[in-house]
Amino acid sequence: MGLATVEAQFHVLAVDDSLIDRKLIEMLLKKTSYQVTTVDSGSKALEFLGWNDENSNEAFFSPKTNQEVEVNLIITDYCMPGMTGYDLLKKIKESAVLRDIPVVIMSSENVPSRINRCLEEGADEFFLKPVRLADVNKLKPHIMKTKTKESQKPENQDDNDEENQESEENNNSTSNKQVEETQDQLQSESPSQQQQTASSNNNNSKRKSMDEGVSPDRTRPRYNNGLTVMSN
Amino acid sequence: MERQAAYLRNALFDQGYLDEQFLQLEDLQDQANPHFVEEVVKLFYTDSVRLIQSIELTLKNTPRDFEKLDKIMHQFKGSTTSIGAKKVKKECTQFQEYCNVGNVEGCIREFQEVKQEHAALKRKLENYFQVFHVVHLAREAR
């Protein structure tokens, strides 16, 4: 599996009520070789993700396409009418199906309390607008985290090793500490141990309180539940 | 023609109409998307017309709803930031300051400035893109 193929399979869902910003983020993400879907509201984002109150704990199918929708990262504006980016983040982290998807918040305002609140709620990054290519380049480690978790099934061990090497080589991320911890995590083989490590890693680098995120009765929730990963 | 395009472009930066965000847009433009910058600018102008009209209307209603005015302006300012429209953005900030202190006269006056800068930039960019097109077509023909 070549690097190009791996990158082309990453699907990012971008949420922003501003038409111009949607166009921008779409281009930024495409430039970084991600597949992009843009929506203009939090509720549309949840719809796309197949979320609804009743089945938030089951595997889901997108109501529109009746296919499995795989999203590797969600990047959302903070200030949106109706459901804010923060509200959306909360809903995602509350859902057993969706909570593993990394979430990035964007905002035009540099409000430390806002940033902290988002990070504490489980956001992986907080970007100040206007978002630049350098910012989007920071997304890779977060996306790789999810992607590698999924492929860490016994029969895929070889693929996983290859991805480990690739992610090591390609990690230009400035948050080096986080990168090292991510790599440690990648090498661990037990899924539940991995999730624990992920939480504590995130605690160290992002000051998040992830305790509530790791519940004993959570049995390896996967939004695709071990079904075939949809390749694009 | 190429020199004219370069001159026009540089003038926009030198005279403070555009800031480095515009450079970011240019960086995203490539062979696959040769008119990306112009597309974004066009989008900005169609989208901002809606917002300007909304402010216009809200300014007419009394008592003035400063919260609403600020909200709309926040959106508008966001767009100006995204395309690097430096002067327009500055006027937007000024407008918001008048909103925050409930200064009606200031808001009305400042809104005129916003519209003026908005229109001035549009003219300059249209001019620039016209020249840019000619240059681009000439390049493609080579």
Side-chain angles (χ1 to χ4, degrees), chain A residues 149-217:
Chain A
K149 264 195 216 167
E150 282 165 22
S151 60
Q152 265 199 341
K153 296 163 195 168
E155 65 273 14
N156 285 347
Q157 207 54 41
D158 289 347
D159 285 337
N160 188 43
D161 288 339
E162 197 186 318
E163 276 177 26
N164 275 347
Q165 282 174 7
E166 284 167 352
S167 70
E168 274 184 44
E169 286 159 18
N170 290 303
N171 250 319
N172 302 324
S173 170
T174 48
S175 49
N176 289 319
K177 180 163 185 272
Q178 191 183 343
V179 165
E180 282 166 43
E181 286 165 350
T182 312
Q183 288 169 352
D184 286 340
Q185 168 204 323
L186 289 176
Q187 276 143 32
S188 112
E189 285 179 25
S190 151
S192 56
Q193 185 188 336
Q194 190 182 48
Q195 282 157 11
Q196 292 273 5
T197 320
S199 309
S200 58
N201 283 347
N202 290 336
N203 267 333
N204 291 339
S205 54
K206 293 284 180 228
R207 289 179 289 129
K208 287 184 278 185
S209 51
M210 285 285 284
D211 297 323
E212 72 277 14
V214 186
S215 55
D217 48 329

Side-chain angles (χ1 to χ4, degrees), chain A residues 3-154:
Chain A
L3 179 61
T5 330
V6 169
E7 277 192 305
Q9 288 177 0
F10 292 155
H11 182 189
V12 178
L13 176 65
V15 191
D16 201 317
D17 62 316
S18 158
L19 191 51
I20 285 103
D21 288 347
R22 278 202 304 281
K23 185 156 176 93
L24 261 183
I25 195 73
E26 183 184 45
M27 186 55 114
L28 284 166
L29 291 167
K30 279 187 173 158
K31 269 268 177 175
T32 328
S33 309
Y34 298 131
Q35 192 199 358
V36 191
T37 301
T38 60
V39 292
D40 65 6
S41 72
S43 44
K44 290 212 183 120
L46 290 173
E47 204 183 299
F48 182 81
L49 293 162
W51 178 97
N52 65 57
D53 266 315
E54 294 104 62
N55 74 1
S56 67
N57 286 310
E58 299 164 8
F60 63 89
F61 293 90
S62 162
K64 291 198 171 106
T65 64
N66 237 9
Q67 278 182 320
E68 213 168 74
V69 175
E70 182 176 357
V71 169
N72 303 111
L73 186 133
I74 298 162
I75 181 164
T76 177
D77 188 26
Y78 182 92
C79 270
M80 296 188 291
M83 192 186 294
T84 66
Y86 178 75
D87 299 329
L88 176 61
L89 168 67
K90 274 189 81 173
K91 287 231 144 61
I92 290 167
K93 292 304 170 186
E94 281 164 9
S95 156
V97 178
L98 301 177
R99 70 162 66 115
D100 280 345
I101 309 177
V103 180
V104 172
I105 311 277
M106 308 178 277
S107 175
S108 53
E109 290 163 318
N110 190 351
V111 181
S113 56
R114 173 185 296 184
I115 299 175
N116 283 332
R117 202 158 65 114
C118 290
L119 293 176
E120 273 160 24
E121 194 59 42
D124 289 77
E125 289 271 4
F126 192 102
F127 292 159
L128 283 177
K129 282 182 166 184
V131 177
R132 304 182 162 197
L133 215 49
D135 297 316
V136 175
N137 287 334
K138 287 188 204 165
L139 298 178
K140 186 74 159 306
H142 300 295
I143 290 188
M144 290 303 292
K145 228 171 23 188
T146 332
K147 229 11 193 184
T148 318
K149 264 195 216 167
E150 282 165 22
S151 60
Q152 265 199 341
K153 296 163 195 168

Side-chain angles (χ1 to χ4, degrees), chain A residues 17-21 23-24 27-28 31 79 108-109 129-133, chain B residues 20-21 24-25 27-28 30 33 36 39-40 43-44 47 74 79 81-82:
Chain A
D17 62 316
S18 158
L19 191 51
I20 285 103
D21 288 347
K23 185 156 176 93
L24 261 183
M27 186 55 114
L28 284 166
K31 269 268 177 175
C79 270
S108 53
E109 290 163 318
K129 282 182 166 184
V131 177
R132 304 182 162 197
L133 215 49
Chain B
E20 63 270 7
Q21 176 60 18
Q24 292 284 319
L25 297 183
D27 279 346
L28 290 173
D30 56 20
N33 308 275
F36 175 69
E39 283 164 20
V40 176
L43 210 59
F44 168 74
D47 197 52
H74 176 82
S79 298
T81 309
S82 295

Side-chain angles (χ1 to χ4, degrees), chain B residues 3-126:
Chain B
R3 226 173 339 150
Q4 193 181 356
Y7 171 78
L8 286 172
R9 183 187 164 278
N10 292 340
L12 286 168
F13 285 99
D14 294 339
Q15 290 164 17
Y17 285 97
L18 298 174
D19 62 31
E20 63 270 7
Q21 176 60 18
F22 195 81
L23 294 173
Q24 292 284 319
L25 297 183
E26 288 181 325
D27 279 346
L28 290 173
Q29 191 159 275
D30 56 20
Q31 277 193 344
N33 308 275
H35 299 287
F36 175 69
V37 183
E38 193 179 354
E39 283 164 20
V40 176
V41 169
K42 277 200 173 132
L43 210 59
F44 168 74
Y45 277 101
T46 26
D47 197 52
S48 56
V49 164
R50 176 182 60 90
L51 294 169
I52 286 180
Q53 280 172 357
S54 186
I55 295 176
E56 201 94 69
L57 223 61
T58 315
L59 264 178
K60 290 205 169 99
N61 292 333
T62 49
R64 264 78 186 201
D65 188 344
F66 289 108
E67 202 184 302
K68 183 172 180 193
L69 285 169
D70 185 68
K71 254 199 187 133
I72 307 168
M73 188 47 91
H74 176 82
Q75 277 186 56
F76 182 67
K77 187 172 145 188
S79 298
T80 65
T81 309
S82 295
I83 70 159
K86 195 172 178 183
K87 282 196 183 186
V88 187
K89 181 179 171 181
K90 192 165 145 238
E91 304 300 341
C92 290
T93 309
Q94 190 62 59
F95 180 90
Q96 282 184 300
E97 279 169 24
Y98 283 124
C99 270
N100 287 339
V101 298
N103 182 342
V104 178
E105 292 307 312
C107 278
I108 294 175
R109 223 178 28 239
E110 191 53 42
F111 185 53
Q112 297 309 314
E113 296 293 324
V114 170
K115 284 194 290 185
Q116 267 178 38
E117 288 300 341
H118 181 253
L121 179 63
K122 185 175 186 196
R123 280 194 308 271
K124 288 188 183 287
L125 284 173
E126 276 173 350

